Amino acid sequence: IYVNMKVPSKSFVIATNKSRVGGGLHLYDLQGKELDYLADGRMNNVDVRYGFLLGGNKIDIAVATHRSQKRLAIYKIDPNSQRLINITAEGLTLDFSPYGGCLYHSLQTDKFYFFATSKSGIIQQLELFDNGHEKVSATIVRTLEIGSQCEGCVADDEAGSVFIGEEDVAIWKYKADPLGGDSREKIDGVGNNLVADIEGLTLYQKDGGKGYLIASSQGNNTYVVYDRQPPHSYTGTFYIVPKGGVEGTEQTDGISVVSQSLLPHFPKGLLVVHDNRTSKGGGSNFKFVSWVQVEKGLKGK
């Protein structure tokens, strides 16, 4: 979810499509209307960050894992036109076909990184940098072995940590700094509050480190919530149910949430989730949920 800080009503959602022939990225406004479609290849995960220095100017970026070409796809976000401009440097490839991934911005060094996950369980952390020709390149600065297939991840820039979902096993927390080593903390495991696969991970971030870590528990069509602050205690579980002719969600893969007010429909933030199965056919779609509804559910647990 890209938040337009100056004009929140012009915020928009960037969504990957790996099923459509050729694959690409969809852009939706806050009413769910498609703004654009980029047929740029089979993308798997996408994430955004603000204030990347390119050519002497700070820009906002979106980075997706390009599954079919074994590389990252890097875009400059144009907040006024609500469009993406490809700024990927030529020759930027990975050692494996990336399955998922997430961005991390170090507040200590002002460097930007991308964690690329894989089916094999290997994770590569790449540092993004200006190549001097108005393009962004990347270099591998760290490799982790989580154990088995992993896709979803999310980084907490303020805390300097990254959460990674090992799909059949657990949610793990690592230090996000490239010198952080391979030590990790188990947040929760399959068989406790989670039912495999563990899929999307996202952070609802409030001031002072407050907020929530949310995981898509694909095996039972739920969303599991943990405290953002250590020790990341279990807070609750919720479903997204049908209402007013709109279906609920099943077999969710990716999820994303923001806490900023996006009036008039999302005064306390927006949660966007992938819905993999629809009774009317037509394949996957995305559901937009007001955080007000999630908050009500958590308080009433």
Side-chain angles (χ1 to χ4, degrees), residues 147-192:
S148 62
Q149 181 168 303
C150 54
E151 180 178 7
C153 68
V154 65
D156 189 330
D157 296 352
E158 292 181 10
S161 56
V162 60
F163 300 91
I164 301 172
E166 187 178 4
E167 294 191 353
D168 294 333
V169 182
I171 300 171
W172 301 102
K173 175 184 173 182
Y174 291 85
K175 291 181 180 178
D177 187 272
L179 299 178
D182 56 6
S183 62
R184 62 186 186 179
E185 174 188 350
K186 184 177 180 180
I187 304 304
D188 199 3
V190 168
N192 295 323

Short mmCIF file of all heavy atoms in Angstrom, two decimals, residues 147-192:
data_model
loop_
_atom_site.label_atom_id
_atom_site.label_comp_id
_atom_site.label_asym_id
_atom_site.label_seq_id
_atom_site.Cartn_x
_atom_site.Cartn_y
_atom_site.Cartn_z
N GLY A 147 15.74 -22.96 6.48
CA GLY A 147 15.46 -24.38 6.71
C GLY A 147 14.61 -25.02 5.64
O GLY A 147 14.89 -26.12 5.18
N SER A 148 13.51 -24.33 5.23
CA SER A 148 12.63 -24.86 4.20
C SER A 148 11.90 -23.70 3.54
O SER A 148 12.20 -22.53 3.81
CB SER A 148 11.65 -25.89 4.79
OG SER A 148 10.80 -25.28 5.75
N GLN A 149 10.93 -24.02 2.70
CA GLN A 149 10.27 -23.02 1.87
C GLN A 149 9.78 -21.80 2.65
O GLN A 149 9.11 -21.93 3.67
CB GLN A 149 9.09 -23.65 1.13
CG GLN A 149 8.34 -22.70 0.20
CD GLN A 149 7.39 -23.43 -0.71
OE1 GLN A 149 7.78 -24.32 -1.47
NE2 GLN A 149 6.12 -23.06 -0.66
N CYS A 150 10.13 -20.61 2.15
CA CYS A 150 9.69 -19.37 2.78
C CYS A 150 9.30 -18.37 1.70
O CYS A 150 9.87 -18.36 0.61
CB CYS A 150 10.78 -18.80 3.69
SG CYS A 150 12.38 -18.55 2.88
N GLU A 151 8.32 -17.55 2.01
CA GLU A 151 7.87 -16.54 1.05
C GLU A 151 7.68 -15.19 1.73
O GLU A 151 8.41 -14.24 1.50
CB GLU A 151 6.58 -16.97 0.36
CG GLU A 151 6.07 -15.95 -0.65
CD GLU A 151 4.81 -16.38 -1.37
OE1 GLU A 151 4.23 -17.42 -0.99
OE2 GLU A 151 4.39 -15.66 -2.29
N GLY A 152 6.67 -15.09 2.60
CA GLY A 152 6.33 -13.81 3.19
C GLY A 152 7.35 -13.32 4.20
O GLY A 152 7.93 -14.09 4.96
N CYS A 153 7.59 -12.00 4.19
CA CYS A 153 8.43 -11.39 5.20
C CYS A 153 8.07 -9.92 5.32
O CYS A 153 7.43 -9.35 4.43
CB CYS A 153 9.93 -11.56 4.87
SG CYS A 153 10.52 -10.67 3.43
N VAL A 154 8.45 -9.31 6.44
CA VAL A 154 8.23 -7.88 6.65
C VAL A 154 9.31 -7.37 7.59
O VAL A 154 9.69 -8.04 8.55
CB VAL A 154 6.82 -7.60 7.20
CG1 VAL A 154 6.63 -8.19 8.60
CG2 VAL A 154 6.51 -6.11 7.20
N ALA A 155 9.82 -6.17 7.30
CA ALA A 155 10.87 -5.58 8.14
C ALA A 155 10.31 -4.44 8.97
O ALA A 155 9.48 -3.66 8.50
CB ALA A 155 12.02 -5.07 7.27
N ASP A 156 10.76 -4.36 10.21
CA ASP A 156 10.43 -3.26 11.10
C ASP A 156 11.64 -2.32 11.11
O ASP A 156 12.62 -2.58 11.78
CB ASP A 156 10.13 -3.78 12.51
CG ASP A 156 9.56 -2.72 13.43
OD1 ASP A 156 9.91 -1.52 13.24
OD2 ASP A 156 8.78 -3.05 14.33
N ASP A 157 11.55 -1.24 10.35
CA ASP A 157 12.69 -0.34 10.20
C ASP A 157 13.09 0.28 11.53
O ASP A 157 14.28 0.45 11.83
CB ASP A 157 12.36 0.77 9.20
CG ASP A 157 12.11 0.24 7.80
OD1 ASP A 157 12.34 -0.96 7.56
OD2 ASP A 157 11.70 1.03 6.93
N GLU A 158 12.12 0.67 12.34
CA GLU A 158 12.41 1.33 13.62
C GLU A 158 13.13 0.39 14.57
O GLU A 158 14.05 0.80 15.28
CB GLU A 158 11.11 1.83 14.26
CG GLU A 158 10.46 2.98 13.51
CD GLU A 158 9.20 3.46 14.20
OE1 GLU A 158 8.94 3.03 15.35
OE2 GLU A 158 8.47 4.26 13.59
N ALA A 159 12.73 -0.87 14.59
CA ALA A 159 13.32 -1.84 15.51
C ALA A 159 14.57 -2.50 14.93
O ALA A 159 15.31 -3.17 15.67
CB ALA A 159 12.29 -2.90 15.88
N GLY A 160 14.79 -2.37 13.63
CA GLY A 160 15.95 -3.00 13.01
C GLY A 160 15.83 -4.52 12.94
O GLY A 160 16.83 -5.24 13.10
N SER A 161 14.63 -5.00 12.69
CA SER A 161 14.41 -6.45 12.65
C SER A 161 13.58 -6.83 11.44
O SER A 161 12.90 -6.00 10.83
CB SER A 161 13.71 -6.92 13.94
OG SER A 161 12.50 -6.23 14.14
N VAL A 162 13.65 -8.12 11.08
CA VAL A 162 12.87 -8.63 9.96
C VAL A 162 12.21 -9.93 10.39
O VAL A 162 12.83 -10.78 11.04
CB VAL A 162 13.74 -8.83 8.70
CG1 VAL A 162 14.87 -9.82 8.95
CG2 VAL A 162 12.90 -9.25 7.51
N PHE A 163 10.92 -10.08 10.05
CA PHE A 163 10.15 -11.29 10.35
C PHE A 163 9.98 -12.08 9.05
O PHE A 163 9.60 -11.51 8.02
CB PHE A 163 8.77 -10.93 10.90
CG PHE A 163 8.82 -10.12 12.17
CD1 PHE A 163 8.84 -8.73 12.12
CD2 PHE A 163 8.85 -10.74 13.41
CE1 PHE A 163 8.87 -7.97 13.29
CE2 PHE A 163 8.89 -9.99 14.59
CZ PHE A 163 8.91 -8.61 14.52
N ILE A 164 10.26 -13.37 9.10
CA ILE A 164 10.20 -14.22 7.90
C ILE A 164 9.36 -15.45 8.22
O ILE A 164 9.52 -16.08 9.27
CB ILE A 164 11.60 -14.64 7.45
CG1 ILE A 164 12.46 -13.40 7.15
CG2 ILE A 164 11.52 -15.54 6.22
CD1 ILE A 164 13.91 -13.69 6.87
N GLY A 165 8.46 -15.79 7.30
CA GLY A 165 7.60 -16.95 7.49
C GLY A 165 8.16 -18.19 6.82
O GLY A 165 8.26 -18.24 5.59
N GLU A 166 8.56 -19.19 7.62
CA GLU A 166 8.90 -20.51 7.08
C GLU A 166 7.57 -21.26 7.00
O GLU A 166 7.01 -21.63 8.04
CB GLU A 166 9.91 -21.22 7.97
CG GLU A 166 10.42 -22.52 7.39
CD GLU A 166 11.46 -23.21 8.27
OE1 GLU A 166 11.73 -22.71 9.38
OE2 GLU A 166 11.97 -24.25 7.85
N GLU A 167 7.07 -21.49 5.81
CA GLU A 167 5.66 -21.77 5.59
C GLU A 167 5.08 -22.91 6.42
O GLU A 167 3.97 -22.81 6.93
CB GLU A 167 5.40 -22.02 4.10
CG GLU A 167 5.63 -20.78 3.27
CD GLU A 167 5.12 -20.93 1.85
OE1 GLU A 167 4.70 -22.05 1.46
OE2 GLU A 167 5.14 -19.92 1.10
N ASP A 168 5.80 -24.00 6.55
CA ASP A 168 5.27 -25.17 7.28
C ASP A 168 5.77 -25.26 8.72
O ASP A 168 5.50 -26.24 9.40
CB ASP A 168 5.67 -26.46 6.55
CG ASP A 168 5.00 -26.58 5.20
OD1 ASP A 168 3.91 -26.01 5.01
OD2 ASP A 168 5.58 -27.24 4.31
N VAL A 169 6.51 -24.22 9.16
CA VAL A 169 7.19 -24.35 10.44
C VAL A 169 6.87 -23.22 11.42
O VAL A 169 6.25 -23.45 12.47
CB VAL A 169 8.72 -24.44 10.24
CG1 VAL A 169 9.44 -24.61 11.59
CG2 VAL A 169 9.08 -25.59 9.32
N ALA A 170 7.29 -21.99 11.12
CA ALA A 170 7.20 -20.93 12.12
C ALA A 170 7.44 -19.55 11.51
O ALA A 170 7.91 -19.42 10.37
CB ALA A 170 8.23 -21.17 13.24
N ILE A 171 7.15 -18.53 12.31
CA ILE A 171 7.56 -17.16 12.02
C ILE A 171 8.84 -16.91 12.80
O ILE A 171 8.89 -17.11 14.02
CB ILE A 171 6.50 -16.14 12.44
CG1 ILE A 171 5.18 -16.38 11.70
CG2 ILE A 171 6.99 -14.71 12.17
CD1 ILE A 171 4.03 -15.54 12.23
N TRP A 172 9.89 -16.47 12.08
CA TRP A 172 11.18 -16.21 12.70
C TRP A 172 11.51 -14.73 12.64
O TRP A 172 11.19 -14.05 11.68
CB TRP A 172 12.29 -17.00 11.98
CG TRP A 172 12.10 -18.47 11.97
CD1 TRP A 172 11.64 -19.25 10.93
CD2 TRP A 172 12.37 -19.39 13.04
NE1 TRP A 172 11.60 -20.57 11.28
CE2 TRP A 172 12.05 -20.69 12.57
CE3 TRP A 172 12.86 -19.24 14.34
CZ2 TRP A 172 12.20 -21.83 13.36
CZ3 TRP A 172 13.01 -20.38 15.12
CH2 TRP A 172 12.68 -21.65 14.64
N LYS A 173 12.20 -14.26 13.67
CA LYS A 173 12.66 -12.88 13.72
C LYS A 173 14.18 -12.86 13.69
O LYS A 173 14.85 -13.51 14.49
CB LYS A 173 12.16 -12.20 15.00
CG LYS A 173 12.67 -10.78 15.23
CD LYS A 173 12.19 -10.26 16.57
CE LYS A 173 12.79 -8.93 16.94
NZ LYS A 173 12.35 -8.46 18.29
N TYR A 174 14.75 -12.09 12.74
CA TYR A 174 16.18 -11.91 12.61
C TYR A 174 16.53 -10.43 12.77
O TYR A 174 15.68 -9.56 12.56
CB TYR A 174 16.66 -12.34 11.22
CG TYR A 174 16.60 -13.81 10.92
CD1 TYR A 174 15.42 -14.40 10.46
CD2 TYR A 174 17.73 -14.62 11.04
CE1 TYR A 174 15.37 -15.75 10.14
CE2 TYR A 174 17.69 -15.98 10.73
CZ TYR A 174 16.50 -16.54 10.28
OH TYR A 174 16.46 -17.87 9.98
N LYS A 175 17.79 -10.15 13.07
CA LYS A 175 18.26 -8.77 12.99
C LYS A 175 18.35 -8.41 11.51
O LYS A 175 18.83 -9.19 10.69
CB LYS A 175 19.63 -8.64 13.66
CG LYS A 175 19.58 -8.81 15.18
CD LYS A 175 20.97 -8.65 15.79
CE LYS A 175 20.91 -8.83 17.31
NZ LYS A 175 22.25 -8.73 17.92
N ALA A 176 17.89 -7.20 11.17
CA ALA A 176 17.82 -6.81 9.76
C ALA A 176 19.15 -6.25 9.24
O ALA A 176 19.35 -6.18 8.02
CB ALA A 176 16.71 -5.79 9.55
N ASP A 177 20.03 -5.86 10.12
CA ASP A 177 21.33 -5.35 9.68
C ASP A 177 22.10 -6.46 8.97
O ASP A 177 22.06 -7.63 9.40
CB ASP A 177 22.13 -4.85 10.88
CG ASP A 177 23.43 -4.16 10.46
OD1 ASP A 177 24.45 -4.86 10.31
OD2 ASP A 177 23.39 -2.93 10.29
N PRO A 178 22.80 -6.15 7.87
CA PRO A 178 23.52 -7.20 7.14
C PRO A 178 24.60 -7.90 7.96
O PRO A 178 25.05 -8.99 7.60
CB PRO A 178 24.12 -6.46 5.94
CG PRO A 178 24.08 -5.01 6.30
CD PRO A 178 22.90 -4.85 7.20
N LEU A 179 25.03 -7.28 9.07
CA LEU A 179 26.00 -7.91 9.95
C LEU A 179 25.33 -8.60 11.14
O LEU A 179 25.98 -8.95 12.12
CB LEU A 179 27.01 -6.87 10.46
CG LEU A 179 27.85 -6.17 9.38
CD1 LEU A 179 28.76 -5.12 10.00
CD2 LEU A 179 28.66 -7.17 8.57
N GLY A 180 24.02 -8.79 11.03
CA GLY A 180 23.24 -9.33 12.14
C GLY A 180 23.41 -10.81 12.40
O GLY A 180 22.91 -11.32 13.41
N GLY A 181 24.09 -11.51 11.51
CA GLY A 181 24.31 -12.93 11.74
C GLY A 181 23.08 -13.77 11.47
O GLY A 181 22.09 -13.31 10.92
N ASP A 182 23.14 -15.05 11.89
CA ASP A 182 22.04 -15.96 11.61
C ASP A 182 21.26 -16.35 12.87
O ASP A 182 20.43 -17.25 12.83
CB ASP A 182 22.54 -17.22 10.91
CG ASP A 182 23.64 -17.94 11.69
OD1 ASP A 182 23.92 -17.52 12.83
OD2 ASP A 182 24.20 -18.91 11.15
N SER A 183 21.51 -15.68 13.99
CA SER A 183 20.73 -15.96 15.19
C SER A 183 19.29 -15.47 14.99
O SER A 183 19.06 -14.47 14.30
CB SER A 183 21.34 -15.27 16.41
OG SER A 183 21.34 -13.87 16.25
N ARG A 184 18.33 -16.17 15.57
CA ARG A 184 16.93 -15.84 15.34
C ARG A 184 16.08 -16.17 16.54
O ARG A 184 16.48 -16.94 17.42
CB ARG A 184 16.41 -16.58 14.11
CG ARG A 184 16.43 -18.10 14.24
CD ARG A 184 16.03 -18.75 12.92
NE ARG A 184 15.91 -20.21 13.04
CZ ARG A 184 15.54 -21.01 12.05
NH1 ARG A 184 15.29 -20.51 10.85
NH2 ARG A 184 15.44 -22.32 12.23
N GLU A 185 14.88 -15.60 16.54
CA GLU A 185 13.91 -15.82 17.62
C GLU A 185 12.62 -16.36 17.00
O GLU A 185 12.13 -15.84 16.00
CB GLU A 185 13.63 -14.50 18.34
CG GLU A 185 12.54 -14.56 19.38
CD GLU A 185 12.18 -13.20 19.93
OE1 GLU A 185 12.91 -12.23 19.65
OE2 GLU A 185 11.16 -13.10 20.64
N LYS A 186 12.06 -17.40 17.61
CA LYS A 186 10.80 -17.96 17.13
C LYS A 186 9.63 -17.19 17.72
O LYS A 186 9.50 -17.08 18.94
CB LYS A 186 10.71 -19.44 17.52
CG LYS A 186 9.46 -20.14 16.99
CD LYS A 186 9.47 -21.62 17.37
CE LYS A 186 8.25 -22.34 16.87
NZ LYS A 186 8.27 -23.78 17.26
N ILE A 187 8.79 -16.62 16.85
CA ILE A 187 7.63 -15.85 17.31
C ILE A 187 6.45 -16.76 17.59
O ILE A 187 5.78 -16.66 18.62
CB ILE A 187 7.24 -14.78 16.27
CG1 ILE A 187 8.44 -13.88 15.96
CG2 ILE A 187 6.06 -13.96 16.77
CD1 ILE A 187 9.05 -13.20 17.16
N ASP A 188 6.16 -17.67 16.66
CA ASP A 188 5.07 -18.64 16.83
C ASP A 188 5.25 -19.73 15.80
O ASP A 188 5.90 -19.51 14.76
CB ASP A 188 3.71 -17.95 16.66
CG ASP A 188 2.55 -18.76 17.26
OD1 ASP A 188 2.82 -19.83 17.86
OD2 ASP A 188 1.39 -18.32 17.13
N GLY A 189 4.67 -20.91 16.07
CA GLY A 189 4.85 -22.02 15.17
C GLY A 189 3.54 -22.63 14.70
O GLY A 189 2.48 -22.42 15.30
N VAL A 190 3.63 -23.37 13.60
CA VAL A 190 2.48 -24.13 13.11
C VAL A 190 2.05 -25.13 14.17
O VAL A 190 2.89 -25.80 14.79
CB VAL A 190 2.85 -24.85 11.79
CG1 VAL A 190 1.78 -25.86 11.42
CG2 VAL A 190 3.05 -23.84 10.68
N GLY A 191 0.75 -25.20 14.41
CA GLY A 191 0.23 -26.08 15.44
C GLY A 191 -0.15 -25.34 16.70
O GLY A 191 -0.85 -25.88 17.57
N ASN A 192 0.29 -24.10 16.84
CA ASN A 192 -0.12 -23.26 17.96
C ASN A 192 -1.29 -22.39 17.52
O ASN A 192 -2.43 -22.83 17.57
CB ASN A 192 1.06 -22.42 18.47
CG ASN A 192 2.16 -23.27 19.06
OD1 ASN A 192 1.90 -24.28 19.71
ND2 ASN A 192 3.40 -22.88 18.83
#
